[in-house]
Amino acid sequence: MSSRSHLLNDRTAEHYRRSLTHGVERVAARLAGTEQPFTGVTPAELAPTVSAVDLEKPLGTASEALDELERVYLRDAVYFHHPRYLAHLNCPVVIPAVLGEAVLSAVNSSLDTWDQSAGGTLIERRLVAWTAQRVGFGSSADGIFTSGGSQSNLQALLLAREETCRLVRKNSETALSTPQILPKLRILTSECSHFSIEKAAVLLGLGTEAVVPVPCDEQRRMRVDALEEEMARCERAGETVMAVVATAGTTDFGSIDPLPAVADLCERAGAWLHVDAAYGCGLLTSRRRRGLLTGIERADSVTVDYHKSFFQPVSSSAVLVRDGDTLRHVTYHADYLNPARSVEREIPNQVDKSLQTTRRFDALKLWMTLRVMGADALGELFDECVDRAADAWRLLDADDRFDVVVEPRLSTLVFRHLPRGADAALTDRANLHARDALFASGEAVVAGTVVDGRHHLKFTLLNPETSTADIAAVLDLIAAHADRYAAEHGAVHPPALSTAPAC
Ligand SMILES: *Cc1c(COP(=O)(O)O)cnc(C)c1O
């Protein structure tokens, strides 16, 4: 076959159809045949297979490349659609979105300028407006699709920084330069917030010291009294609160910060409020639980991750702002792309609102989802996950083999196994071991985290197909692994372990 026969165009439509159909058949067969979320393959076992592929020698046909792909990827991939995948914030994906993905990569629109995307730009704008309306923003709202929550948070904080610098300059008698202002800026966020806030602070020239962790209550929500105190301390110290970041659905606990009270404090202090709803955004489609997000409409900016609780394929996220004017802080003009005169001519160039230039048409996935199944159907799927987490909490709470940290608001559970006769250090190691052993078996995948210095396990439930029976079965597997480990490592002789090195 000639090189040109691989180009997707009017003459290769049949080749395209066949090639993609092959791929779809393989994936469909894989999905139908997965009995476990994972095979348990180790990097050392899989690496030689990937290394052995000679990239200088193409196979020539899609079906041969797909045969090879079975070995290097599909056979050992971690499958999020499996009901016993309970680890991270990954969702099974809805079929209309996968269809959208296939369409968007084939047409390959780039959403930076109108002259590269035409209808795509309008579709994205409709979806930004749709989401903003669900948030409860008014008609001045705007936003942009991004690659993920981390980028959405970065962009929101960039806008907050620029707005804060503008206000500081306006209110000061001397003309302050940006380098004079930056060291005084502070970002206040709960100790349970996402680490992308710190990364953003570094990228924004503030350093991690600029991020001030605000303590949480027992439910892992930001303490309003502590926030108020911290804001007062900043004022006394001559520091400027650049932003308060509230989390609507913390990654570990699914806890939702008290948004109305936090909004009150921000309003009083004139501070930018960013709500990181990367995880909790699914509530925007829930008929039963939308109320949990009350107050989000008072934010200046909001992060939503459709690739978490909207069942969309990676990547799909957006940052929304209450005042669309603030997006001007990322507007730069290039003569070859989006010259200033295109603004006067009202040509809608999305690059004017984005940190990216060439940008995927991820919005199409959500569009297809809403057009085929609708928002209520998404909300029902997420509600089922939240219901399941409540069931799982009841299971864990009633089971004295386990200690569970908080009753979930969303769909995560942080807990640990308490092997009989094990001291604190051995309990830690037994839980770490149980997670690794489970992963190695491939029977289920769970996550881990540290709470108050102690190793815990975590379920993140984003699959409505996960049943209470699945959860009970995984708990039994965890208990078996942890108990065996503890017994083998001397759980019956706890005093001897007090001097054992922690690993
Ligand atoms: C997942 C998550 C993020 C980061 O989002 P990515 O899409 O992974 O970049 C930010 N904040 C919270 C609360 C999250 O759960």
Side-chain angles (χ1 to χ4, degrees), residues 89 148-151 153 194 196 247 249 251 276 278-279 305 307-308:
L89 275 164
S150 304
Q151 192 193 150
N153 285 342
H194 196 261
S196 56
T247 313
T251 315
D276 179 359
Y279 172 21
D305 257 2
H307 61 213
K308 284 177 180 166

Side-chain angles (χ1 to χ4, degrees), residues 278 309 334 387 390:
S309 44
D387 289 342

